[in-house]
Amino acid sequence: KMFGRMLHETLGKWIFWLFITGFHCTFFIQHFLGMIGMPRRVYTYLGEAENPGWGWMNAVSSAGAVLMAIATVLLLVNIVMTMMKPRTAPDDPWDGMGRTLEWTIASPPPEYNFLQIPVVRGIDAWWKEKMAGKKNMDVAHPLEDIHMPSPSILPFVMSLGLFVAALGFMYTTSWKDEYNWANAVAIGGLVLTFVCMFLRSVIDDHGYHIHVEEGKVKH
């Protein structure tokens, strides 16, 4: 929906089955390892005579991790292959089985998302319209100019500041330790976040309009 391209369906099925099989081989068997006495986060242990069952169960767990790694590599391959395709994905690509409103607009979506605000009659609004025999959503108002906010990098910088602050708080040991680098990281991230919040509050941005008569809004 975001990029207007369809991932390879067959490769996606291989990825799903490899990952779900690998996941359960990796983690499900670890429950039984715990039940027979193996503690968590142990990277080495005595042999089969001292710990019967640990060896083959850990081997199965390691094999499952390899399957998940293969699935992840295939997913990256699928993504790269898809990036090379043209943007030909339809609005509702799965044989018309989309249920929610995002499947009523183009792929990728236009910058204004909805040309006209749709009438929502309940949960899974697009599915309800289909069940009523309709091919399009009813609209709540006539075609008119669309008001858009101006692009801004401030929300991204604000979220980056929160990430930096959280990273600092994770490693902070004591606020009294003047040599603790994590204190400076946490404070710096908070300062960056609050500066962005202040700028977002004081900058009077009226945005812009996409005018119907300019031909920028397509029917």
Side-chain angles (χ1 to χ4, degrees):
K1 176 53 68 175
M2 183 184 296
F3 299 106
R5 300 179 175 95
M6 295 288 292
L7 290 165
H8 193 280
E9 184 76 12
T10 302
L11 190 55
K13 292 177 181 178
W14 274 98
I15 293 166
F16 170 81
W17 286 113
L18 282 171
F19 198 92
I20 195 171
T21 303
F23 180 88
H24 287 295
C25 286
T26 300
F27 297 108
F28 184 69
I29 200 167
Q30 290 180 10
H31 295 287
F32 299 99
L33 275 165
M35 291 175 64
I36 63 176
M38 183 175 180
R40 298 181 66 184
R41 300 180 178 89
V42 172
Y43 73 97
T44 186
Y45 46 87
L46 298 175
E48 184 69 18
E50 293 82 2
N51 300 299
W54 288 24
W56 73 267
M57 287 187 179
N58 276 286
V60 171
S61 186
S62 297
V66 171
L67 290 179
M68 285 195 293
I70 293 173
T72 302
V73 171
L74 289 178
L75 174 62
L76 296 175
V77 170
N78 201 355
I79 291 173
V80 172
M81 289 171 51
T82 304
M83 289 172 61
M84 299 177 182
K85 295 180 180 179
R87 296 186 176 187
T88 56
D91 303 351
D92 190 357
W94 292 287
D95 298 324
M97 295 302 291
R99 302 179 68 92
T100 47
L101 290 177
E102 66 267 27
W103 306 113
T104 66
I105 58 177
S107 304
E111 59 180 331
Y112 48 80
N113 286 333
F114 292 96
L115 180 61
Q116 295 168 278
I117 296 177
V119 175
V120 176
R121 307 183 198 279
I123 297 176
D124 292 344
W126 181 217
W127 188 256
K128 283 185 174 292
E129 301 302 315
K130 290 178 181 179
M131 293 299 99
K134 297 181 179 179
K135 301 297 184 181
N136 297 290
M137 294 290 299
D138 290 337
V139 293
H141 60 73
L143 189 65
E144 58 186 20
D145 294 347
I146 301 174
H147 178 255
M148 298 291 295
S150 298
S152 174
I153 198 174
L154 287 177
F156 171 77
V157 178
M158 190 185 308
S159 61
L160 181 63
L162 286 173
F163 171 78
V164 171
L167 189 66
F169 282 122
M170 284 173 58
Y171 289 95
T172 295
T173 56
S174 172
W175 290 104
K176 297 180 181 180
D177 185 1
E178 59 180 331
Y179 299 104
N180 187 353
W181 61 269
N183 294 343
V185 172
I187 293 173
L190 289 177
V191 168
L192 183 62
T193 299
F194 284 116
V195 167
C196 290
M197 292 174 65
F198 175 77
L199 292 175
R200 289 281 287 177
S201 300
V202 300
I203 295 176
D204 191 13
D205 180 15
H206 297 287
Y208 65 98
H209 286 81
I210 299 177
H211 299 287
V212 177
E213 60 271 16
E214 292 177 358
K216 294 181 180 179
V217 175
K218 305 297 182 183
H219 287 274

